[in-house]
Amino acid sequence: MSERWLAVFGANSDMAVACARRFACEGWSIHLASRDLAALERESANLTVRFGVNTAVHYFDAREYADHETCYRSMQPEPRGVLVAFGTMSGDVPELIAVNFTGAVNVLEIVAADFEKRGTGFIVGISSVAGDRGRQSNYLYGSAKAGFTAYLSGLRQRLYPHGIDVLTVKPGFTATKMTADLDLPVAMTATPAEVADAVWRSVGKRRHVLYVKAIWRLIMLGIIHVPECIFKRLRL
Ligand SMILES: NC(=O)c1ccc[n+]([C@@H]2O[C@H](COP(=O)([O-])OP(=O)(O)OC[C@H]3O[C@@H](n4cnc5c(N)ncnc54)[C@H](OP(=O)(O)O)[C@@H]3O)[C@@H](O)[C@H]2O)c1
């Protein structure tokens, strides 16, 4: 079988690292793209030593839209799958939208056009339950993720006739550096390895939306059905 390459944008995210290791463990070679090149090089060496796969490191900044195409084209051999994992909960309004929404959409439009032309591939986008309904505690981040979730839904429809799967991942609370300062309830919090296992089990299976811990599907089902006249009074 010819070599299978996965491209990971935001490859330094703790979830992305776990996903890359999960795929590498199954024999996939990995394109690692993000800003912190030293961290990427360390993980690249780790993947090669532990799993004996090939890797390549690429500089990628989600906010540098004009460079996305060049970065993607530099990924040789061409990837069979793409994971978009970068994200941020901090920064001002332009930063939150630029990274979590515009950057993700911009790079995936380039990937989608390529996969469409090649008639092959799968796409995994890490969105968030925060996008299921805007809440006062994180609605800027949440609205960017809501936009990303809607984007992935439209992309899934667009690419379906070409046999290309698009998986939306809603991890729920996950123990990563993003949430290191938060006191998260253990029972509702996934590990990056759990996210990676769930993603691995879902790709290529025509799954659409993945809630990593099933409890989050129920919680969000409840939250989206609370009438607005009650919802606006809650402090969620
Ligand atoms: N942790 C959670 O509870 C949780 C829950 C739901 C959804 N999510 C989403 O899941 C994804 C992964 O999150 P995580 O918790 O694994 O994150 P993380 O460990 O905090 O890592 C986030 C990564 O995003 C990258 N990043 C930030 N700004 C970037 C930019 N402008 N360009 C390129 N890369 C950039 C950083 O890369 P560099 O290190 O290279 O700068 C960083 O390593 C994110 O989309 C996040 O929004 C997280």
Side-chain angles (χ1 to χ4, degrees):
M1 190 195 295
S2 69
E3 204 179 1
R4 298 164 299 173
W5 282 78
L6 175 74
V8 184
F9 291 93
N12 284 324
S13 111
D14 291 345
M15 285 187 218
V17 168
C19 288
R21 289 177 187 175
R22 189 69 182 82
F23 275 76
C25 170
E26 304 289 342
W28 283 67
S29 296
I30 315 285
H31 289 292
L32 301 144
S34 206
R35 294 174 302 179
D36 183 343
L37 288 174
L40 291 181
E41 292 290 357
R42 280 195 299 276
E43 185 55 23
S44 163
N46 182 43
L47 290 171
T48 305
V49 169
R50 281 178 64 183
F51 305 109
V53 297
N54 289 314
T55 57
V57 164
H58 311 264
Y59 182 79
F60 173 81
D61 186 329
R63 297 161 308 179
E64 300 295 335
Y65 313 129
D67 297 338
H68 288 184
E69 177 117 34
T70 309
C71 175
Y72 180 65
R73 297 282 163 217
S74 74
M75 293 178 161
Q76 298 296 332
E78 293 171 325
R80 280 200 206 172
V82 164
L83 166 67
V84 165
F86 55 81
T88 182
M89 285 203 296
S90 59
D92 57 14
V93 175
E95 166 90 359
L96 284 168
I97 305 300
V99 175
N100 294 306
F101 179 71
T102 317
V105 169
N106 196 64
V107 72
L108 280 182
E109 281 296 281
I110 293 161
V111 171
D114 180 45
F115 280 7
E116 205 168 39
K117 203 168 69 197
R118 285 158 56 195
T120 185
F122 64 83
I123 290 169
V124 180
I126 305 193
S127 190
S128 175
V129 299
D132 286 3
R133 190 165 190 179
R135 287 172 291 120
Q136 55 92 27
S137 54
N138 67 352
Y139 67 93
L140 295 173
Y141 170 78
S143 56
K145 289 296 195 184
F148 188 43
T149 297
Y151 168 77
L152 291 169
S153 170
L155 188 64
R156 182 177 304 114
Q157 257 194 348
R158 169 184 163 190
L159 296 179
Y160 174 76
H162 302 274
I164 296 157
D165 281 358
V166 176
L167 176 68
T168 306
V169 183
K170 299 182 181 179
F173 294 147
T174 307
T176 67
K177 58 184 181 291
M178 186 178 280
T179 55
D181 296 338
L182 305 177
D183 193 15
L184 302 177
V186 176
M188 289 160 62
T189 303
T191 63
E194 283 176 311
V195 175
D197 266 340
V199 168
W200 172 256
R201 286 196 308 269
S202 301
V203 289
K205 306 265 170 53
R206 296 251 133 170
R207 298 268 321 256
H208 309 134
V209 178
L210 170 66
Y211 286 83
V212 173
K213 279 194 175 286
I215 184 79
W216 278 105
R217 190 181 287 277
L218 288 176
I219 292 169
M220 297 319 295
L221 194 63
I223 286 181
I224 62 174
H225 283 100
V226 177
E228 199 66 30
C229 59
I230 296 173
F231 193 72
K232 71 182 180 186
R233 296 168 208 273
L234 304 178
R235 295 295 90 194
L236 298 174

XYZ file of all heavy atoms in Angstrom, residues 28-113:
664
model
N 0.425 5.878 9.591
C 0.316 7.093 8.772
C 1.536 7.994 8.961
O 2.025 8.167 10.083
C -0.930 7.887 9.167
C -2.214 7.311 8.632
C -2.775 6.115 8.994
C -3.078 7.893 7.649
N -3.937 5.924 8.287
C -4.155 6.996 7.460
C -3.053 9.080 6.925
C -5.193 7.260 6.565
C -4.099 9.342 6.034
C -5.144 8.422 5.853
N 2.016 8.562 7.883
C 3.044 9.603 7.960
C 2.338 10.942 8.176
O 1.178 11.106 7.787
C 3.859 9.637 6.671
O 4.545 8.404 6.531
N 3.077 11.894 8.783
C 2.384 13.103 9.261
C 3.083 14.378 8.798
O 4.282 14.560 9.028
C 2.316 13.137 10.819
C 1.893 11.784 11.412
C 1.408 14.277 11.268
C 0.431 11.421 11.274
N 2.309 15.295 8.181
C 2.740 16.681 7.968
C 2.303 17.470 9.197
O 1.098 17.541 9.501
C 2.044 17.297 6.751
C 2.508 16.753 5.437
N 3.784 16.978 4.951
C 1.869 16.022 4.490
C 3.903 16.403 3.749
N 2.765 15.816 3.446
N 3.274 18.083 9.887
C 2.965 18.851 11.096
C 3.081 20.337 10.771
O 4.163 20.809 10.400
C 3.956 18.493 12.204
C 3.998 17.018 12.618
C 5.405 16.601 12.973
C 3.066 16.768 13.781
N 1.991 21.082 10.923
C 2.019 22.515 10.588
C 1.524 23.341 11.758
O 0.437 23.082 12.298
C 1.141 22.775 9.358
N 2.322 24.324 12.161
C 1.917 25.257 13.209
C 2.971 26.357 13.300
O 3.826 26.473 12.402
C 1.742 24.534 14.545
O 0.827 25.228 15.368
N 2.891 27.180 14.376
C 3.821 28.320 14.468
C 5.109 27.968 15.193
O 6.193 28.401 14.812
C 3.140 29.483 15.189
C 1.979 30.070 14.449
C 1.274 31.119 15.288
N 0.816 30.556 16.561
C 0.193 31.231 17.497
N -0.026 32.529 17.348
N -0.204 30.649 18.618
N 5.013 27.196 16.261
C 6.194 26.920 17.084
C 6.993 25.770 16.447
O 6.736 24.586 16.706
C 5.727 26.559 18.501
C 6.889 26.330 19.451
O 8.031 26.126 18.982
O 6.659 26.343 20.681
N 7.961 26.172 15.612
C 8.694 25.165 14.826
C 9.556 24.254 15.701
O 9.707 23.064 15.397
C 9.559 25.862 13.774
C 8.781 26.492 12.613
C 9.713 27.289 11.707
C 8.047 25.431 11.807
N 10.099 24.803 16.808
C 10.943 23.969 17.678
C 10.104 22.840 18.282
O 10.545 21.680 18.335
C 11.564 24.828 18.776
N 8.892 23.177 18.703
C 8.011 22.141 19.275
C 7.624 21.128 18.196
O 7.568 19.919 18.458
C 6.764 22.793 19.874
N 7.384 21.608 16.994
C 7.044 20.686 15.895
C 8.191 19.729 15.608
O 7.979 18.534 15.387
C 6.706 21.468 14.620
C 5.408 22.287 14.601
C 5.249 22.968 13.247
C 4.187 21.426 14.899
N 9.409 20.261 15.602
C 10.585 19.415 15.319
C 10.729 18.333 16.384
O 11.052 17.186 16.073
C 11.861 20.262 15.256
C 11.953 21.217 14.066
C 12.141 20.522 12.709
O 12.260 19.286 12.673
O 12.152 21.239 11.686
N 10.489 18.708 17.653
C 10.594 17.716 18.738
C 9.567 16.597 18.537
O 9.877 15.414 18.646
C 10.367 18.389 20.106
C 11.572 19.123 20.651
C 11.404 19.451 22.135
N 10.254 20.309 22.404
C 10.267 21.648 22.297
N 11.376 22.271 21.941
N 9.195 22.358 22.552
N 8.334 16.995 18.215
C 7.285 15.980 18.041
C 7.528 15.149 16.781
O 7.253 13.947 16.749
C 5.902 16.654 18.007
C 4.740 15.693 17.943
C 4.714 14.631 19.056
O 5.302 14.822 20.122
O 4.097 13.566 18.826
N 8.067 15.803 15.770
C 8.393 15.094 14.534
C 9.401 13.972 14.817
O 9.222 12.819 14.385
C 8.962 16.120 13.542
O 9.641 15.500 12.517
N 10.440 14.300 15.595
C 11.463 13.296 15.949
C 10.837 12.189 16.788
O 11.115 10.991 16.591
C 12.600 13.972 16.705
N 9.971 12.579 17.693
C 9.289 11.616 18.558
C 8.466 10.611 17.734
O 8.516 9.399 17.955
C 8.394 12.390 19.539
C 7.681 11.476 20.505
O 8.273 10.537 21.035
N 6.394 11.708 20.705
N 7.712 11.141 16.755
C 6.870 10.269 15.916
C 7.722 9.290 15.116
O 7.384 8.111 14.973
C 6.023 11.119 14.955
C 4.893 11.941 15.582
C 4.292 12.893 14.542
C 3.803 11.041 16.158
N 8.833 9.790 14.615
C 9.711 8.946 13.804
C 10.312 7.824 14.649
O 10.330 6.656 14.236
C 10.831 9.807 13.185
O 10.211 10.870 12.460
C 11.695 9.014 12.240
N 10.777 8.195 15.846
C 11.417 7.189 16.708
C 10.384 6.171 17.211
O 10.601 4.958 17.161
C 12.111 7.874 17.912
C 12.553 6.854 18.950
C 13.298 8.699 17.428
N 9.242 6.664 17.673
C 8.254 5.759 18.295
C 7.529 4.890 17.290
O 7.212 3.736 17.563
C 7.221 6.562 19.090
C 7.734 6.990 20.444
C 6.718 7.818 21.190
N 5.500 7.115 21.518
C 4.463 7.693 22.126
N 4.513 8.961 22.468
N 3.369 6.994 22.403
N 7.200 5.476 16.122
C 6.319 4.745 15.207
C 6.973 4.419 13.862
O 6.353 3.760 13.021
C 5.025 5.544 14.981
C 4.328 5.896 16.269
C 4.294 7.209 16.728
C 3.705 4.915 17.030
C 3.661 7.543 17.921
C 3.063 5.235 18.226
C 3.048 6.555 18.673
N 8.179 4.915 13.642
C 8.894 4.598 12.406
C 8.234 5.173 11.160
O 8.371 4.610 10.070
N 7.504 6.274 11.313
C 6.831 6.872 10.153
C 7.617 8.090 9.676
O 8.471 8.623 10.389
C 5.388 7.297 10.503
C 4.547 6.087 10.882
C 5.369 8.363 11.607
N 7.289 8.528 8.470
C 7.893 9.758 7.959
C 7.101 10.960 8.459
O 5.884 10.876 8.681
C 7.890 9.750 6.428
C 8.891 8.738 5.896
O 10.026 8.681 6.355
N 8.456 7.925 4.949
N 7.814 12.083 8.598
C 7.156 13.313 9.034
C 7.774 14.490 8.277
O 8.890 14.392 7.758
C 7.362 13.565 10.554
O 8.761 13.601 10.802
C 6.703 12.512 11.415
N 7.022 15.581 8.231
C 7.561 16.834 7.682
C 6.974 17.983 8.491
O 5.825 17.902 8.951
C 7.191 16.971 6.207
N 7.773 19.020 8.662
C 7.384 20.162 9.492
C 7.166 21.377 8.599
O 7.951 21.630 7.682
C 8.483 20.421 10.551
C 8.348 21.788 11.172
C 8.451 19.334 11.622
N 6.088 22.130 8.847
C 5.750 23.298 8.021
C 5.356 24.455 8.926
O 4.596 24.253 9.889
C 4.562 22.995 7.093
C 4.716 21.721 6.330
N 5.198 21.693 5.040
C 4.461 20.432 6.679
C 5.217 20.431 4.626
N 4.783 19.658 5.595
N 5.816 25.664 8.570
C 5.358 26.836 9.327
C 3.962 27.206 8.859
O 3.696 27.319 7.655
C 6.306 28.035 9.125
C 5.844 29.215 9.965
C 6.127 29.258 11.326
C 5.079 30.238 9.409
C 5.664 30.298 12.116
C 4.614 31.281 10.197
C 4.911 31.301 11.545
O 4.443 32.320 12.328
N 3.061 27.414 9.813
C 1.683 27.789 9.480
C 1.138 28.709 10.565
O 1.164 28.371 11.749
C 0.794 26.539 9.391
C -0.671 26.860 9.228
C -1.196 27.182 7.970
C -1.532 26.855 10.325
C -2.541 27.491 7.816
C -2.881 27.155 10.174
C -3.384 27.478 8.917
N 0.682 29.890 10.154
C 0.002 30.806 11.076
C -1.406 31.005 10.539
O -1.589 31.476 9.408
C 0.746 32.145 11.156
C 0.147 33.063 12.233
O -1.075 32.985 12.476
O 0.910 33.867 12.818
N -2.391 30.655 11.349
C -3.795 30.728 10.904
C -4.183 32.130 10.444
O -5.068 32.282 9.608
C -4.709 30.275 12.042
N -3.512 33.172 10.978
C -3.898 34.555 10.643
C -3.243 35.045 9.369
O -3.599 36.092 8.851
C -3.527 35.497 11.808
C -4.268 35.194 13.097
C -3.550 35.809 14.256
N -2.131 35.418 14.249
C -1.237 35.806 15.135
N -1.590 36.607 16.105
N 0.013 35.402 15.045
N -2.256 34.309 8.878
C -1.545 34.724 7.655
C -2.204 34.048 6.457
O -1.660 33.115 5.857
C -0.061 34.353 7.763
C 0.675 34.995 8.924
C 0.766 36.522 8.804
O 0.697 37.037 7.675
O 0.879 37.178 9.850
N -3.388 34.559 6.129
C -4.221 33.883 5.118
C -3.506 33.741 3.773
O -3.654 32.737 3.086
C -5.537 34.642 4.904
C -6.237 35.039 6.184
C -6.664 36.348 6.392
C -6.466 34.105 7.192
C -7.295 36.714 7.560
C -7.096 34.466 8.369
C -7.505 35.782 8.552
O -8.130 36.138 9.706
N -2.757 34.771 3.404
C -2.123 34.767 2.081
C -1.091 33.650 1.936
O -0.742 33.270 0.815
C -1.470 36.123 1.815
N -0.615 33.132 3.075
C 0.420 32.083 3.016
C -0.154 30.663 3.051
O 0.594 29.682 2.931
C 1.404 32.236 4.194
C 2.151 33.563 4.131
O 2.227 34.134 3.018
O 2.627 34.024 5.182
N -1.454 30.550 3.247
C -2.029 29.210 3.451
C -1.842 28.298 2.236
O -1.517 27.124 2.375
C -3.523 29.317 3.791
C -3.777 29.859 5.168
N -5.030 29.957 5.715
C -2.938 30.343 6.115
C -4.947 30.455 6.942
N -3.681 30.709 7.197
N -2.082 28.866 1.070
C -1.988 28.041 -0.146
C -0.565 27.511 -0.322
O -0.355 26.324 -0.602
C -2.417 28.867 -1.372
C -2.284 28.100 -2.674
C -3.619 27.882 -3.381
O -4.486 28.771 -3.278
O -3.767 26.836 -4.018
N 0.428 28.391 -0.135
C 1.828 27.971 -0.281
C 2.164 26.880 0.722
O 2.842 25.890 0.385
C 2.762 29.184 -0.067
O 2.306 30.230 -0.912
C 4.199 28.849 -0.368
N 1.699 27.063 1.940
C 1.967 26.051 2.971
C 1.363 24.716 2.562
O 2.028 23.679 2.592
C 1.394 26.518 4.315
S 1.537 25.271 5.607
N 0.098 24.742 2.142
C -0.568 23.490 1.777
C 0.122 22.831 0.581
O 0.342 21.618 0.563
C -2.051 23.738 1.481
C -2.777 22.469 1.109
C -2.934 21.431 2.030
C -3.267 22.279 -0.185
C -3.564 20.246 1.686
C -3.902 21.093 -0.536
C -4.051 20.080 0.402
O -4.677 18.902 0.047
N 0.469 23.636 -0.431
C 1.115 23.075 -1.640
C 2.484 22.481 -1.318
O 2.974 21.598 -2.017
C 1.287 24.151 -2.720
C 0.010 24.726 -3.236
C -0.698 23.808 -4.229
N -2.078 24.235 -4.357
C -3.124 23.431 -4.499
N -2.966 22.129 -4.556
N -4.351 23.907 -4.588
N 3.115 22.995 -0.247
C 4.452 22.487 0.099
C 4.374 21.105 0.759
O 5.390 20.465 0.998
C 5.174 23.468 1.041
O 4.611 23.385 2.335
N 3.162 20.661 1.045
C 2.999 19.355 1.707
C 3.086 18.243 0.673
O 2.103 17.901 0.019
C 1.675 19.311 2.474
C 1.665 20.266 3.644
S 0.095 20.259 4.518
C 0.614 20.995 6.075
N 4.269 17.711 0.519
C 4.536 16.617 -0.424
C 5.182 15.473 0.345
O 6.110 15.725 1.107
C 5.461 17.097 -1.555
C 4.872 18.206 -2.411
C 3.625 17.783 -3.183
O 3.472 16.609 -3.508
N 2.736 18.725 -3.455
N 4.692 14.257 0.174
C 3.575 13.823 -0.650
C 2.241 14.424 -0.191
O 2.088 14.769 0.982
C 3.552 12.297 -0.465
C 4.901 11.936 0.050
C 5.386 13.111 0.823
N 1.322 14.506 -1.154
C 0.018 15.105 -0.865
C -0.705 14.333 0.237
O -0.705 13.099 0.244
C -0.860 15.069 -2.118
C -0.371 15.959 -3.236
C -1.143 15.708 -4.526
O -1.523 14.543 -4.794
O -1.368 16.678 -5.265
N -1.330 15.064 1.156
C -2.054 14.367 2.228
C -3.338 13.705 1.734
O -3.998 14.213 0.842
C -2.371 15.490 3.216
C -2.307 16.750 2.442
C -1.351 16.525 1.308
N -3.665 12.570 2.382
C -4.957 11.912 2.098
C -6.025 12.388 3.069
O -7.214 12.184 2.850
C -4.825 10.403 2.282
C -4.198 9.715 1.130
C -4.579 8.236 1.208
N -3.571 7.460 0.536
C -3.514 6.150 0.555
N -4.399 5.469 1.255
N -2.576 5.518 -0.093
N -5.569 12.946 4.173
C -6.508 13.451 5.171
C -5.970 14.723 5.790
O -4.748 14.933 5.807
N -6.863 15.580 6.266
C -6.449 16.839 6.892
C -7.199 17.016 8.207
O -8.416 16.795 8.273
C -6.739 18.031 5.947
C -6.695 19.354 6.706
C -5.736 18.057 4.801
N -6.447 17.390 9.233
C -7.038 17.710 10.534
C -6.761 19.172 10.845
O -5.599 19.601 10.811
C -6.403 16.816 11.616
C -6.641 17.208 13.074
C -8.104 17.039 13.470
C -5.761 16.370 14.000
N -7.799 19.938 11.127
C -7.621 21.335 11.556
C -7.891 21.389 13.050
O -9.021 21.167 13.495
C -8.550 22.282 10.774
C -8.625 23.637 11.451
C -8.033 22.446 9.353
N -6.838 21.661 13.822
C -6.949 21.544 15.278
C -6.630 22.841 16.017
O -6.887 22.936 17.209
C -6.011 20.450 15.775
N -6.065 23.829 15.306
C -5.647 25.028 16.050
C -6.866 25.765 16.589
O -7.982 25.622 16.070
C -4.795 25.954 15.167
C -5.463 26.350 13.882
C -6.382 27.373 13.848
C -5.178 25.678 12.699
C -6.997 27.748 12.665
C -5.798 26.030 11.510
C -6.705 27.060 11.489
N -6.623 26.553 17.617
C -7.709 27.335 18.198
C -7.174 28.128 19.364
O -6.084 27.866 19.869
N -7.944 29.135 19.765
C -7.556 29.925 20.927
C -8.801 30.426 21.637
O -9.803 30.739 20.991
C -6.634 31.093 20.526
O -6.252 31.792 21.711
C -7.326 32.061 19.563
N -8.701 30.480 22.976
C -9.786 31.060 23.765
C -9.400 32.431 24.286
O -10.174 33.073 24.980
C -10.140 30.145 24.940
C -10.929 28.923 24.516
S -11.907 28.186 25.839
C -10.641 27.667 26.961
N -8.152 32.861 23.959
C -7.715 34.161 24.461
C -7.434 35.100 23.291
O -7.339 34.675 22.147
C -6.464 33.997 25.330
O -5.457 33.406 24.560
N -7.288 36.373 23.610
C -7.041 37.360 22.567
C -8.255 38.268 22.404
O -9.314 38.029 22.988
N -8.053 39.314 21.584
C -9.153 40.261 21.378
C -10.120 39.706 20.324
O -9.929 38.606 19.800
C -8.605 41.646 20.998
C -7.722 41.589 19.758
O -7.756 40.558 19.049
O -6.995 42.563 19.493
N -11.150 40.488 20.035
C -12.196 39.997 19.126
C -11.617 39.621 17.758
O -11.860 38.503 17.268
C -13.341 41.032 18.986
C -14.353 40.579 17.944
C -14.011 41.254 20.335
N -10.836 40.501 17.109
C -10.296 40.111 15.798
C -9.480 38.825 15.850
O -9.573 37.974 14.959
C -9.422 41.308 15.397
C -9.994 42.460 16.153
C -10.469 41.887 17.464
N -8.688 38.660 16.920
C -7.846 37.451 17.051
C -8.722 36.194 17.176
O -8.474 35.174 16.517
C -6.953 37.616 18.297
C -6.260 36.356 18.791
C -4.895 36.118 18.167
O -4.469 36.923 17.319
O -4.267 35.103 18.536
N -9.754 36.292 18.021
C -10.619 35.123 18.234
C -11.293 34.688 16.935
O -11.382 33.500 16.639
C -11.688 35.444 19.295
C -11.181 35.440 20.739
C -12.226 36.052 21.671
C -10.852 34.022 21.186
N -11.762 35.678 16.176
C -12.448 35.334 14.919
C -11.422 34.906 13.865
O -11.646 33.952 13.110
C -13.282 36.534 14.388
C -14.262 37.020 15.475
C -14.037 36.157 13.112
C -15.265 36.020 15.957
N -10.297 35.609 13.824
C -9.278 35.324 12.791
C -8.737 33.906 12.919
O -8.514 33.227 11.917
C -8.136 36.327 12.892
N -8.500 33.459 14.143
C -7.906 32.129 14.323
C -8.988 31.049 14.240
O -8.902 30.125 13.431
C -7.159 32.027 15.679
C -6.653 30.602 15.909
C -6.001 33.020 15.718
N -10.029 31.202 15.095
C -10.999 30.104 15.230
C -11.932 29.956 14.032
O -12.426 28.869 13.775
C -11.837 30.304 16.500
C -11.004 30.194 17.762
O -10.310 29.211 17.965
N -11.054 31.221 18.604
N -12.178 31.061 13.325
C -13.092 30.967 12.180
C -12.375 31.208 10.855
O -12.211 30.295 10.049
C -14.284 31.920 12.332
C -15.213 31.853 11.150
C -16.017 30.735 10.949
C -15.255 32.871 10.205
C -16.852 30.639 9.843
C -16.080 32.779 9.093
C -16.882 31.663 8.910
N -11.923 32.444 10.635
C -11.436 32.791 9.286
C -10.234 31.931 8.880
O -10.166 31.449 7.742
C -11.069 34.286 9.203
O -12.090 35.035 9.864
C -10.969 34.739 7.769
N -9.293 31.739 9.809
C -8.099 30.953 9.482
C -8.459 29.518 9.133
O -7.932 28.940 8.166
N -9.376 28.945 9.915
C -9.763 27.551 9.689
C -10.480 27.406 8.348
O -10.207 26.487 7.572
C -10.651 27.080 10.842
N -11.393 28.340 8.075
C -12.163 28.275 6.826
C -11.245 28.523 5.625
O -11.336 27.837 4.600
C -13.308 29.306 6.863
C -13.954 29.461 5.495
C -14.347 28.888 7.901
N -10.354 29.486 5.770
C -9.479 29.826 4.642
C -8.624 28.633 4.214
O -8.539 28.309 3.028
C -8.586 31.013 5.018
C -7.960 31.639 3.801
O -8.657 32.173 2.936
N -6.645 31.562 3.699
N -8.036 27.959 5.180
C -7.165 26.832 4.803
C -7.998 25.660 4.293
O -7.609 24.965 3.342
C -6.208 26.435 5.959
C -6.917 25.732 7.094
C -5.081 25.552 5.424
N -9.171 25.457 4.870
C -9.982 24.322 4.415
C -10.578 24.538 3.033
O -10.812 23.569 2.303
C -11.072 24.004 5.437
C -10.575 23.179 6.628
C -11.715 22.848 7.585
C -9.902 21.878 6.168
N -10.817 25.794 2.647
C -11.279 26.038 1.283
C -10.212 25.603 0.269
O -10.524 25.083 -0.793
C -11.625 27.520 1.089
C -12.978 27.897 1.658
C -14.124 27.181 0.932
O -14.502 27.611 -0.164
O -14.627 26.193 1.479
N -8.957 25.804 0.626
C -7.850 25.387 -0.259
C -7.778 23.857 -0.312
O -7.678 23.255 -1.384
C -6.523 25.997 0.260
C -6.567 27.516 0.108
C -5.323 25.390 -0.449
C -5.560 28.267 0.964
N -7.884 23.246 0.870
C -7.848 21.775 0.943
C -9.032 21.192 0.169
O -8.885 20.239 -0.614
C -7.905 21.318 2.421
C -8.096 19.810 2.514
C -6.658 21.758 3.176
N -10.226 21.758 0.372
C -11.443 21.216 -0.243
C -11.337 21.243 -1.769
O -11.700 20.274 -2.437
C -12.662 22.016 0.217
N -10.830 22.344 -2.296
C -10.702 22.446 -3.757
C -9.761 21.360 -4.275
O -10.015 20.738 -5.314
C -10.188 23.831 -4.139
